[in-house]
Amino acid sequence: LLLVVGLLFCSMIVSLFSGQIMQVIIQKQDQTQRLAQLRNFLQQHRVSRQLTVKLQRQVQERMRDNRILEEKEVKSLALISRALRMELRAEMFQPHLLGHPLFRLWEASDPETLRLLCDTALTFQHALAAEEVFFVAGTKADAAYTVVS
């Protein structure tokens, strides 16, 4: 009996490790395929070598990056109730809003409306690369932003 339990335990450990290894292999294959597709695209469009290097470097950096997931990427969030989603979004956004005196006043006078704002009107725009432009002088804005680092 002890031998069978030991065999099952060892089989389970080997299975877990092989599953993790397969996941890493699949992820690496996907990254390699995406880079090859980018190289092919850049060659087909005769993009200069200098720009090609910049593009590939940025794509590789972003693929290595452990970036913060966006809500739309977490499919299981679609399964939660509206009330629980409102609570989640309020907990995500309120700490950033409450750094501003206007939102602190709003929260003190009507916390439920502030929670509604968090649920319906806010989103995160994540991690721009150093050379990316977020604001351009003279262009029409379609949203208000607060910068959090």
Side-chain angles (χ1 to χ4, degrees):
L1 180 66
L2 189 58
L3 185 60
V4 172
V5 171
L7 183 61
L8 287 175
F9 182 72
C10 288
S11 298
M12 184 179 71
I13 290 176
V14 168
S15 176
L16 287 172
F17 280 131
S18 61
Q20 290 294 320
I21 290 170
M22 287 303 298
Q23 193 172 21
V24 169
I25 289 171
I26 290 169
Q27 186 178 24
K28 288 292 183 188
Q29 285 175 338
D30 179 54
Q31 288 177 354
T32 302
Q33 182 181 12
R34 290 165 71 184
L35 286 170
Q37 185 180 38
L38 176 64
R39 277 192 300 276
N40 189 30
F41 175 83
L42 297 173
Q43 287 172 352
Q44 288 175 354
H45 293 280
R46 294 184 172 89
V47 174
S48 71
R49 180 76 180 136
Q50 185 179 9
L51 183 54
T52 296
V53 169
K54 283 182 182 178
L55 291 166
Q56 288 176 333
R57 187 175 299 135
Q58 187 176 77
V59 167
Q60 287 172 335
E61 284 174 14
R62 289 187 176 184
M63 282 196 290
R64 274 192 309 269
D65 212 9
N66 288 330
R67 66 179 179 73
I68 297 173
L69 290 173
E70 295 182 29
E71 283 180 79
K72 62 185 174 194
E73 296 174 298
V74 183
K75 291 178 173 63
S76 58
L77 289 178
L79 302 173
I80 64 175
S81 68
R82 176 149 171 76
L84 204 51
R85 184 175 10 269
M86 283 181 70
E87 189 176 339
L88 169 66
R89 292 180 58 83
E91 196 165 304
M92 288 168 45
F93 294 119
Q94 277 185 349
H96 302 291
L97 289 177
L98 297 178
H100 192 283
L102 174 65
F103 292 110
R104 283 196 303 271
L105 178 63
W106 190 350
E107 201 239 353
S109 63
D110 191 358
E112 192 55 37
T113 305
L114 187 61
R115 284 172 49 105
L116 188 61
L117 173 77
C118 290
D119 183 50
T120 58
L122 298 178
T123 188
F124 281 116
Q125 174 73 37
H126 290 287
L128 298 174
E131 61 275 353
E132 284 187 78
V133 176
F134 196 68
F135 302 104
V136 178
T139 60
K140 182 181 174 187
D142 60 352
Y145 297 94
T146 192
V147 178
V148 180
S149 60

